[in-house]
């Protein structure tokens, strides 16, 4: 398939002089200034400031690119932030009033701003650049080092070789608190309990000693030292619920008290002004709170005085590329939306356009419908798009596309939908643990698995229809000892399961082969194996579903050629028999017709 550069119009052609968003959602990276008067936050990839009491927000960055993780200087006059405007996510500093930004780092590795030094002369940032020779950490980009760079520009200096994030300085101006990073777990994962959860540590600059202040098997992060110099506020899930604000005194870190009690969503992005006013986000909006008071949601209006102009962007970075049944088109996901492009031309059609994320696109066997997963309603649901006009040949040239949810919005997560080859059924994953099948005509669903055997965190469970639409092959944890899987064949009508491997190792990623007579899959049963660790080596294996397919596959080259010739002769003989039978039938019919005509002539 020829790869083409795909472009699309990403903004409406009608320009507006100003766009005002009342009560905008998903304000991120909120940080209150040290003087307690102003909050900086990220919205739609740009930075804005707003008075601490709310009101109209002011945009301070407008250059194309992503700006994030803003920090205030100690005197509240400058803001440091990360931006990818020139490629990698590098460190910049600018006036808090806006204006030109000055670049401080120039590497190809992404950096994360962590704190200004108390004297305001340097900015600390995290980046994975170079571990010192004495480091015992595994050399991975997920485990960063801590660096310092002068505000006026210059060379960076490594402060710590181990990860130190969300830094908050102590009164001596040299020591600080930070959250650690022990492993690979996603920072946004909720209710995480393991040996690699984040803890809050104290770094003593004079002795070089690191002290764990919250050692436990849950998430404790984002420490903020209060103006009194000894009270510490931080975020934690220690009561078994959502992420909330907690506090302890440095003299007795084991005595922790709750400051907030939110139930439905996590608190994020905690900071504090010099007046002791806490600022954080909850459910996409910004709140302020005195430690002894109640949360106060800010009313914020975001006014963007830049005109909405058409923008053409390349779709070179895409995922889930899936060819149409006839190979003439490619359905793909780019920037969280569904697109269909021609395989031979640059003609491209945007199918979805929502604030939610779309993923996992698949084709109907006739090539005029698509299924995909969307999170637009607050949970994962399956949507179907179809070409509205019969006279239009394909998606990439369609003028009207109809779209509807396959299931009503009921709070149940449904993902990974795939049409059966005959188009009569759809297989999908429900609540990340049960494989389901829905009959397209009746709309009735049934479970093929009972919720055991699937432990999907990233919606990546694989299952595939057989060519005759009667069977589904997948891989399941059949012995309840995650994460080892077996390849399993499931009857799409009865749900009956047949374990095809049963090795106790990783057997996964099955695919149909040989016109549905065999299944290929990956297995680490040989070579380097996953014995209480990771990093196994896998081989491609094949399992046959009937003796004839296996016998044919096992033939050597000479035997296969002889068999092919024999089959070709048999086919020719069969075709010859059909032709002879047609001639006989035709001759016989002609005789009957002549006899009938003669009979009519005699009667006359």
């Amino acid at each position: 398939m020829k790869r083409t550069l795909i472009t699309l119009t990403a903004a409406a052609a009608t320009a507006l002089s100003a766009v005002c968003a009342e009560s905008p959602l998903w304000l991120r990276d909120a940080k209150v200034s040290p003087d307690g008067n102003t909050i900086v936050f990220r919205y739609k990839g740009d930075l804005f400031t707003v008075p601490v009491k709310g009101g109209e927000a002011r945009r301070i960055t407008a250059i194309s690119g992503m700006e994030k993780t803003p920090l205030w200087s100690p005197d509240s006059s400058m803001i440091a932030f990360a931006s990818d405007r020139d490629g990698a996510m590098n460190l910049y500093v600018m006036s808090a009033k806006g204006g030109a930004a000055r670049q401080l780092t120039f590497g190809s590795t992404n950096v994360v701003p962590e704190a200004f030094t108390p004297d305001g002369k340097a900015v600390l940032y995290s980046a994975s650049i170079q571990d010192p020779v004495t480091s015992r950490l595994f050399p991975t980009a997920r485990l960063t080092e801590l660096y310092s760079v002068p505000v006026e520009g210059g060379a960076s200096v490594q402060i710590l070789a181990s990860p130190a994030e969300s830094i908050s300085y102590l009164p001596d101006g040299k020591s600080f608190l930070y959250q650690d990073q022990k492993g690979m777990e996603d920072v946004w994962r909720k209710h995480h309990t393991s040996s690699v959860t984040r803890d809050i540590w104290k770094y003593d600059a004079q002795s070089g000693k690191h002290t764990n202040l919250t050692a436990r098997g849950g998430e404790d992060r984002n420490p903020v030292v209060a103006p009194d110099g000894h009270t510490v506020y931080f975020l934690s899930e220690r009561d078994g619920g959502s992420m909330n604000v907690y506090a302890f005194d440095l003299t007795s870190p084991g005595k922790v008290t709750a400051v907030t009690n939110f139930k439905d969503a996590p608190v994020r992005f905690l900071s504090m002004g010099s007046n002791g006013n806490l600022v954080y986000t909850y459910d996409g909006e910004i709140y302020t709170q005195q430690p002894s008071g109640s949360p106060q949601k800010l009313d914020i209006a975001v006014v963007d005085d830049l005109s909405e102009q058409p923008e053409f962007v390349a779709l070179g970075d895409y995922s889930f590329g899936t060819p149409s049944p006839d190979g003439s088109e490619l359905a793909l996901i780019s920037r969280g939306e569904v697109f269909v492009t021609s395989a031979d031309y640059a003609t491209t059609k945007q199918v979805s356009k929502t604030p939610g994320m779309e993923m996992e696109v698949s084709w109907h066997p006739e090539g005029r419908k698509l299924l995909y997963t969307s999170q637009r309603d607050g949970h994962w649901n399956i949507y179907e798009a179809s070409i509205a006009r019969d006279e239009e040949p394909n998606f990439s040239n369609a003028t009207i596309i109809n779209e509807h949810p396959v299931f009503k919005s009921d709070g149940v997560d449904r993902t990974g939908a795939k049409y059966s080859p005959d188009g009569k059924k759809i297989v999908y994953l429900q609540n990340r643990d049960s494989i389901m099948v829905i009959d397209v005509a009746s709309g009735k669903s049934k479970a093929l698995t009972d919720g055991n055997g699937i432990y999907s965190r990233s919606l990546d469970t694989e299952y595939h229809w057989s060519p005759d639409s009667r069977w589904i092959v997948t891989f399941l944890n059949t012995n309840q000892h995650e994460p080892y899987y077996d390849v399993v064949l499931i009857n799409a009508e009865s749900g009956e399961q047949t374990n095809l491997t049963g090795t106790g190792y990783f057997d996964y990623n099955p695919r149909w082969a040989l016109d549905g007579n065999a299944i290929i899959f990956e297995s680490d049963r040989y070579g380097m194996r996953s014995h209480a660790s990771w990093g196994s080596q896998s081989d491609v294996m094949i399992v046959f579903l009937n003796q004839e397919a296996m016998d044919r596959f096992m033939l050597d080259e000479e035997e296969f050629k002889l068999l092919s010739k024999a089959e070709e002769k048999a086919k020719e003989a069969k075709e010859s028999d059909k032709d002879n039978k047609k001639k006989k039938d035709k001759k016989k019919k002609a005789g009957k017709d002549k006899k009938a005509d003669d009979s009519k002539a005699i009667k006359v």
Side-chain angles (χ1 to χ4, degrees):
M1 179 182 294
K2 184 175 70 176
R3 184 162 183 182
T4 57
L5 180 66
I6 309 165
T7 59
L8 67 143
T9 302
T14 303
L16 302 177
S17 59
V19 178
C20 182
E22 300 288 347
S23 300
L25 288 175
W26 307 118
L27 309 182
R28 305 176 65 80
D29 294 340
K31 185 85 67 172
V32 65
S33 59
D35 62 17
N37 295 328
T38 311
I39 298 171
V40 63
F41 63 89
R42 171 165 58 102
Y43 180 62
K44 293 185 176 180
D46 280 309
L47 300 183
F48 294 77
T49 58
V50 67
V52 74
K53 294 184 179 180
E56 185 176 302
R58 182 171 177 269
R59 180 177 185 150
I60 60 172
T61 64
I63 292 178
S64 178
M66 171 70 77
E67 278 73 52
K68 60 191 299 186
T69 327
L71 302 171
W72 289 94
S73 62
D75 63 1
S76 303
S77 67
M78 292 188 296
I79 294 174
F81 60 95
S83 175
D84 64 356
R85 60 183 66 184
D86 291 320
M89 194 68 71
N90 272 293
L91 182 64
Y92 294 77
V93 66
M94 67 185 301
S95 168
K97 297 179 181 179
R102 185 169 66 255
Q103 188 171 351
L104 300 183
T105 65
F106 299 85
S108 58
T109 300
N110 292 338
V111 309
V112 179
E114 301 294 356
F116 271 88
T117 54
D119 60 10
K121 294 182 179 180
V123 180
L124 271 58
Y125 64 91
S126 293
S128 179
I129 299 175
Q130 180 65 60
D131 288 313
V133 295
T134 56
S135 177
R136 296 183 179 181
L137 291 178
F138 182 78
T140 171
R142 294 293 295 270
L143 300 178
T144 58
E145 306 89 48
L146 184 66
Y147 296 87
S148 173
V149 63
V151 169
E152 297 302 321
S156 295
V157 176
Q158 189 176 96
I159 305 299
L160 293 176
S162 57
E165 304 168 342
S166 298
I167 288 172
S168 184
Y169 272 93
L170 292 167
D172 67 3
K174 297 180 179 179
S175 304
F176 52 78
L177 303 187
Y178 66 91
Q179 71 181 39
D180 65 356
Q181 168 81 325
K182 303 183 188 74
M184 309 296 184
E185 193 56 62
D186 194 317
V187 68
W188 306 116
R189 179 183 173 188
K190 299 178 183 178
H191 314 303
H192 175 206
T193 57
S194 78
S195 60
V196 298
T197 53
R198 293 158 185 83
D199 287 310
I200 294 173
W201 292 70
K202 176 184 176 181
Y203 169 66
D204 188 291
Q206 183 175 359
S207 65
K209 181 181 179 181
H210 297 257
T211 304
N212 193 333
L213 302 179
T214 62
R216 68 182 197 92
E219 292 284 355
D220 296 308
R221 61 174 72 164
N222 197 173
V224 175
V225 180
D228 62 18
H230 59 83
T231 305
V232 178
Y233 296 91
F234 67 104
L235 300 180
S236 178
E237 292 178 321
R238 58 182 53 226
D239 291 330
S242 294
M243 187 79 72
N244 273 285
V245 181
Y246 291 81
F248 64 79
D249 194 286
L250 278 172
T251 60
S252 54
K255 297 180 180 179
V256 176
T257 58
V259 178
T260 64
N261 189 31
F262 291 101
K263 302 293 185 183
D264 299 325
V267 175
R268 305 287 192 192
F269 310 115
L270 179 66
S271 63
M272 178 178 257
S274 59
N275 58 357
N277 199 24
L278 293 166
V279 173
Y280 51 81
T281 68
Y282 171 75
D283 203 22
E285 298 181 281
I286 297 177
Y287 285 72
T288 63
Q289 178 182 348
Q290 283 292 324
S292 59
S294 301
Q296 303 295 320
K297 184 173 72 173
L298 298 187
D299 291 326
I300 296 175
V302 174
V303 178
D304 183 356
D305 61 358
L306 296 182
S307 299
E308 294 280 350
Q309 297 292 342
E311 179 185 4
F312 291 91
V313 295
L315 293 188
D317 184 15
Y318 59 83
S319 61
F320 299 104
T322 306
S324 61
D326 64 3
S328 65
E329 296 183 289
L330 181 71
L332 53 91
I333 303 293
S334 180
R335 294 175 168 84
E337 302 292 353
V338 181
F339 296 85
V340 177
T341 183
S342 169
D344 299 311
Y345 308 100
T347 308
T348 304
K349 184 71 175 182
Q350 184 169 354
V351 177
S352 69
K353 190 175 183 181
T354 73
M357 180 183 192
E358 275 75 40
M359 58 189 295
E360 301 176 323
V361 60
S362 67
W363 289 87
H364 187 278
E366 295 178 356
R368 296 184 63 83
K369 295 180 181 179
L370 291 171
L371 289 176
Y372 44 88
T373 305
S374 177
Q375 205 179 22
R376 67 189 69 174
D377 296 323
H379 66 278
W380 295 109
N381 200 3
I382 298 165
Y383 283 75
E384 183 181 71
S386 58
I387 302 171
R389 293 174 171 169
D390 293 337
E391 64 271 21
E392 294 179 338
N394 54 33
F395 269 98
S396 52
N397 294 104
T399 56
I400 299 177
I401 295 176
N402 294 328
E403 183 195 57
H404 69 276
V406 177
F407 299 93
K408 293 181 179 179
S409 180
D410 55 5
V412 176
D413 283 338
R414 299 180 178 90
T415 59
K418 294 180 180 179
Y419 292 104
S420 60
D422 61 11
K424 296 180 179 180
K425 295 181 177 66
I426 297 172
V427 64
Y428 62 95
L429 189 67
Q430 182 166 294
N431 286 332
R432 303 192 184 196
D433 62 9
S434 298
I435 298 177
M436 309 286 291
V437 166
I438 181 173
D439 183 86
V440 173
S442 67
K444 294 182 178 180
S445 292
K446 60 183 176 183
L448 298 183
T449 62
D450 60 3
N452 293 315
I454 297 177
Y455 304 96
S456 174
R457 297 177 185 174
S458 55
L459 308 178
D460 58 357
T461 298
E462 288 278 354
Y463 36 74
H464 300 278
W465 285 99
S466 62
D468 62 5
S469 302
R470 296 175 57 197
W471 305 87
I472 293 169
V473 67
T474 186
F475 57 101
L476 301 176
N477 173 244
T478 57
N479 59 9
Q480 307 301 307
H481 184 60
E482 197 267 342
Y484 300 102
Y485 291 94
D486 289 311
V487 175
V488 176
L489 191 63
I490 304 176
N491 187 300
E493 288 295 331
S494 67
E496 180 182 358
Q497 298 182 14
T498 303
N499 190 332
L500 300 179
T501 54
T503 64
Y505 290 98
F506 285 96
D507 297 309
Y508 58 103
N509 287 343
R511 297 290 190 277
W512 292 93
L514 304 181
D515 297 324
N517 292 299
I519 294 169
I520 57 174
F521 60 95
E522 290 186 66
S523 176
D524 72 345
R525 67 183 73 179
Y526 307 114
M528 188 168 70
R529 301 164 181 165
S530 297
H531 286 172
S533 183
W534 300 93
S536 64
Q537 297 171 324
S538 62
D539 297 294
V540 178
M541 313 287 290
I542 187 168
V543 58
F544 299 95
L545 302 181
N546 56 71
Q547 187 65 45
E548 182 181 354
M550 182 175 179
D551 291 342
R552 185 181 184 88
F553 184 84
M554 298 301 292
L555 296 174
D556 61 27
E557 184 178 357
E558 181 182 10
E559 291 170 335
F560 185 75
K561 284 186 177 181
L562 291 173
L563 177 62
S564 298
K565 287 183 179 180
E567 289 177 341
E568 187 175 341
K569 286 183 178 180
K571 183 178 179 181
E572 291 174 354
K574 189 174 181 179
E575 293 295 329
S576 178
D577 290 343
K578 285 183 179 179
D579 290 341
N580 290 335
K581 186 175 184 303
K582 285 181 180 179
K583 290 178 181 179
K584 289 180 180 180
D585 291 342
K586 186 176 181 180
K587 186 175 181 181
K588 186 176 181 181
K589 186 176 185 300
K592 288 182 178 180
D593 292 341
K594 184 176 183 305
K595 190 174 182 180
D597 291 341
D598 291 344
S599 176
K600 288 179 181 179
I602 292 171
K603 289 180 180 180
V604 173

